[in-house]
Amino acid sequence: MERSQGNRLGLWVSRTFWSTYHDSRAVQEARNGLLANLGPGSKGLNVGAGERRVHSALIAVDLARSPAIDCVADARRLPFRNLAFELILSQETLEHVADPFQAVREMGRVLKRNGSLYLQTPFVLGYHPNPEDYWRFSHAGVRSLIEQAGLHCERVEPTFGPGTGLHRILVEFTAGVAARVVGRAYLPVKGIAAIVLYPLKWLDGWLTKGDQRDRIAGGYFGIGKKQV
């Protein structure tokens, strides 16, 4: 019982103070705007869906099986025909793919003409193997991912700004120092630091309006359009 309660507490802390990348205002406005344009009977794809179902019109694809997943597949080899979907989402997934460029080309292949791709990736974020962690993507990196797949890049914006970037660095540093003193201290100290330092994230809205917003941004989303 105590372990179960501890797991629930840890999950709540993570979702509320750490893994908030699905919930930023920038993400919700961009992603939900694309979802709102899906017409009746339209189908989309969520690549790397994890355990959250974003929308009923999206087929959830992931490498790991779970109750929320419709199709278990590798993002580099999507088991769908060409020109199948009007919208494709991929959030915080490509850092775990050994060849993210191939994965985005696959997304472009199954995207319908005039369809949209929403691509969200981290920039400043600690190493988190799940099952492995390969990449980080700058503003220019996200644009390159989209364009090399033959898509028109309409925009690239910070998912989170420098406040979140600094929050992530300081939380990991604090937890890492604690773990050197007491090996088991990493997770509890990380949770406490995530809560205590959370106000740093409130600076994102102000800092993302500055000329230096790309220095330690938490991450980016890009929107691509298939024109041919």
Side-chain angles (χ1 to χ4, degrees):
M1 176 66 73
E2 290 181 0
R3 175 176 289 185
S4 176
Q5 290 175 342
N7 289 342
R8 286 198 295 269
L9 176 61
L11 184 61
W12 175 77
V13 170
S14 176
R15 288 181 174 176
T16 306
F17 299 98
W18 182 252
S19 300
T20 56
Y21 43 78
H22 289 294
D23 303 318
S24 76
R25 179 178 297 178
V27 166
Q28 291 192 44
E29 289 179 353
R31 182 193 63 196
N32 294 349
L34 292 171
L35 289 168
N37 289 331
L38 284 175
S42 297
K43 277 294 180 183
L45 195 63
N46 187 2
V47 180
E51 298 182 357
R52 294 181 61 166
R53 184 167 287 277
V54 175
H55 193 279
S56 60
L58 301 183
I59 296 174
V61 177
D62 203 282
L63 197 58
R65 191 178 302 277
S66 81
I69 297 304
D70 302 309
C71 176
V72 176
D74 190 321
R76 297 168 296 179
R77 294 180 293 275
L78 296 173
F80 305 104
R81 61 179 174 81
N82 296 350
L83 309 175
F85 301 103
E86 295 182 31
L87 174 64
I88 299 177
L89 266 61
S90 181
Q91 295 182 263
E92 308 292 323
T93 295
L94 290 178
E95 71 269 27
H96 302 294
V97 180
D99 188 348
F101 294 93
Q102 173 60 25
V104 179
R105 288 194 294 270
E106 271 290 273
M107 295 178 206
R109 177 183 66 80
V110 301
L111 189 63
K112 287 185 176 181
R113 294 182 179 89
N114 295 317
S116 295
L117 169 67
Y118 175 90
L119 202 62
Q120 183 178 319
T121 65
F123 182 47
V124 173
L125 180 62
Y127 177 66
H128 59 294
N130 185 27
E132 192 47 274
D133 184 14
Y134 299 98
W135 311 102
R136 295 295 178 269
F137 302 92
S138 66
H139 183 285
V142 173
R143 180 174 294 276
S144 179
L145 280 170
I146 293 170
E147 292 180 342
Q148 62 87 39
L151 307 177
H152 171 67
C153 185
E154 294 189 325
R155 57 189 286 215
V156 177
E157 299 289 343
T159 304
F160 292 109
T164 292
L166 181 58
H167 177 268
R168 288 172 169 176
I169 292 169
L170 290 178
V171 168
E172 289 288 5
F173 179 80
T174 303
V177 169
R180 287 293 291 144
V181 179
V182 179
R184 296 182 179 179
Y186 175 78
L187 284 178
V189 171
K190 182 175 181 177
I192 294 169
I195 295 171
V196 171
L197 296 171
Y198 186 79
L200 288 170
K201 292 190 174 188
W202 298 342
L203 296 171
D204 278 349
W206 179 58
L207 291 171
T208 53
K209 295 179 174 63
D211 293 339
Q212 307 305 321
R213 68 178 189 172
D214 293 320
R215 297 290 182 177
I216 57 167
Y220 295 93
F221 70 84
I223 298 177
K225 192 84 168 180
K226 188 166 186 175
Q227 296 181 319
V228 295

